[in-house]
């Protein structure tokens, strides 16, 4: 019998997801599907400086991964969304390279977009949940 999908919430962020009607992540079998994470402060507002927005998006992602018993090494697929990829690339790569600093790297798809609800960067991932946490 298959287990039902299970929502995963990071600490102290439930109201943000409830207000917008989605789960930050869903455990399904041994996979974790994480909704797009932006560089939002605790109150949901955007971090104004771009590089700090990217860092905060990764911090928000880390909190969700940890709530599911995962870490950055468990990520297998990454999709990022960028409002100005050409001018943002250097800052994004600097943050990304500090987190994913050795092979094997996750596969990565970057998409240029025109709107992210007041944000300039979003990251969504799929991770494999370690056997002890599945």
């Amino acid at each position: 019998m298959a287990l039902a999908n299970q929502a995963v919430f990071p600490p102290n962020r439930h109201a943000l997801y409830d207000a917008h009607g989605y789960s930050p992540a869903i455990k399904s079998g041994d996979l974790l599907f994480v909704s797009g994470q932006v560089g939002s402060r605790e109150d949901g507002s955007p971090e104004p400086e771009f590089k700090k927005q990217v860092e905060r998006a990764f911090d928000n992602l880390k909190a969700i991964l940890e709530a599911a018993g995962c870490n950055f090494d468990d990520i297998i697929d990454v999709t990022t969304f960028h409002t100005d990829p050409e001018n943002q690339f250097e800052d994004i790569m600097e943050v990304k390279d500090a987190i994913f600093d050795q092979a094997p790297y996750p596969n990565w798809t970057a998409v240029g977009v025109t709107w992210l609800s007041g944000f300039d960067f979003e990251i969504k991932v799929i991770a494999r949940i370690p056997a002890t946490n599945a």
Side-chain angles (χ1 to χ4, degrees):
M1 180 171 141
L3 296 174
N5 293 341
Q6 176 186 357
V8 175
F9 287 86
N12 305 320
R13 300 285 290 205
H14 294 256
L16 178 66
Y17 297 105
D18 289 342
H20 297 288
Y22 69 100
S23 296
I26 296 288
K27 280 185 179 183
S28 183
D30 67 344
L31 295 176
L32 181 70
F33 297 86
V34 181
S35 294
Q37 297 300 301
V38 293
S40 61
R41 297 172 172 167
E42 287 73 15
D43 66 0
S45 66
E47 182 67 50
E49 196 268 311
F50 179 73
K51 186 174 179 188
K52 288 184 191 231
Q53 193 179 119
V54 174
E55 291 168 346
R56 190 173 281 266
F58 274 93
D59 289 344
N60 292 340
L61 173 59
K62 181 181 180 184
I64 294 170
L65 291 169
E66 288 176 350
C70 298
N71 61 49
F72 288 119
D73 292 337
D74 298 310
I75 294 174
I76 54 178
D77 181 71
V78 176
T79 304
T80 52
F81 303 90
H82 315 264
T83 57
D84 188 4
E86 186 175 356
N87 292 312
Q88 297 166 338
F89 188 76
E90 186 177 326
D91 285 334
I92 293 165
M93 291 304 292
E94 189 174 321
V95 175
K96 173 193 168 287
D97 289 346
I99 292 168
F100 300 107
D101 60 350
Q102 60 184 331
Y105 306 105
N107 63 316
W108 199 292
T109 302
V111 180
V113 297
T114 59
W115 185 79
L116 288 172
S117 189
F119 295 90
D120 293 305
F121 176 82
E122 183 171 335
I123 181 170
K124 70 182 295 314
V125 305
I126 300 171
R128 184 159 316 277
I129 301 167
T132 58
N133 297 320

